[in-house]
C-alpha cells in the first residue's frame, strides 16, 4: 500500500513540474531580452529615455531608410521614413517597439 501511495505521489509531482516548465517556456518576460526592434500594432505609453541617435538607430535596425527629422512627443519618437518604396510614419515607444502608420 505504501509503495502505491509513493508511486502515485511521484507521478503527481512529475506531472505538476512538467506543466510548470511548459508554462514558463512562452513567458512574455524572458530572462534574456531580444534587442531587435519589434513592429507592433500600438505603441506603449510611458516615459521614453532613448536619445535621438538611439531612436534613429532602432529605426535603421528595423529596416527603415531615409529617416526624416524625428521628434519626441508624448513619450514617442516619431517621424517619417522609407520602407522599401513606401513612405511611412514611424513611432518608437519607450520599450523600443516600432509602430507605423
Amino acid at each position: 500500500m505504501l509503495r502505491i501511495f509513493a508511486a502515485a505521489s511521484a507521478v503527481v509531482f512529475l506531472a505538476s513540474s512538467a506543466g510548470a516548465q511548459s508554462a514558463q517556456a512562452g513567458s512574455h518576460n524572458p530572462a534574456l531580452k531580444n534587442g531587435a526592434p519589434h513592429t507592433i500594432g500600438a505603441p506603449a505609453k510611458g516615459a521614453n529615455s532613448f536619445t535621438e541617435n538611439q531612436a534613429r538607430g532602432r529605426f535603421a535596425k528595423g529596416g527603415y531608410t531615409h529617416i526624416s527629422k524625428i521628434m519626441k512627443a508624448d513619450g514617442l519618437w516619431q517621424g517619417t521614413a522609407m520602407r522599401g518604396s513606401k513612405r511611412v510614419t514611424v513611432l518608437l515607444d519607450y520599450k523600443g517597439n516600432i509602430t507605423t502608420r
Side-chain angles (χ1 to χ4, degrees):
M1 180 70 169
L2 184 59
R3 286 184 187 174
I4 294 172
F5 179 72
S9 296
V11 169
V12 169
F13 175 75
L14 291 175
S16 66
S17 65
Q21 288 176 354
S22 64
Q24 291 174 357
S27 174
H28 69 284
N29 191 13
L32 298 176
K33 175 105 171 107
N34 179 354
H38 301 312
T39 302
I40 59 170
K45 302 291 182 188
N48 195 320
S49 62
F50 286 104
T51 65
E52 182 177 352
N53 285 337
Q54 289 171 327
R56 285 183 177 280
R58 294 292 285 190
F59 290 137
K61 196 174 183 181
Y64 297 92
T65 59
H66 299 85
I67 303 160
S68 72
K69 175 142 178 75
I70 60 174
M71 57 189 292
K72 187 168 28 171
D74 297 327
L76 299 171
W77 281 103
Q78 50 192 352
T80 58
M82 296 293 290
R83 179 75 184 236
S85 62
K86 186 177 178 183
R87 179 159 294 282
V88 294
T89 299
V90 290
L91 299 114
L92 180 73
D93 67 14
Y94 77 97
K95 294 181 176 182
N97 297 318
I98 298 172
T99 308
T100 59
R101 291 187 190 158

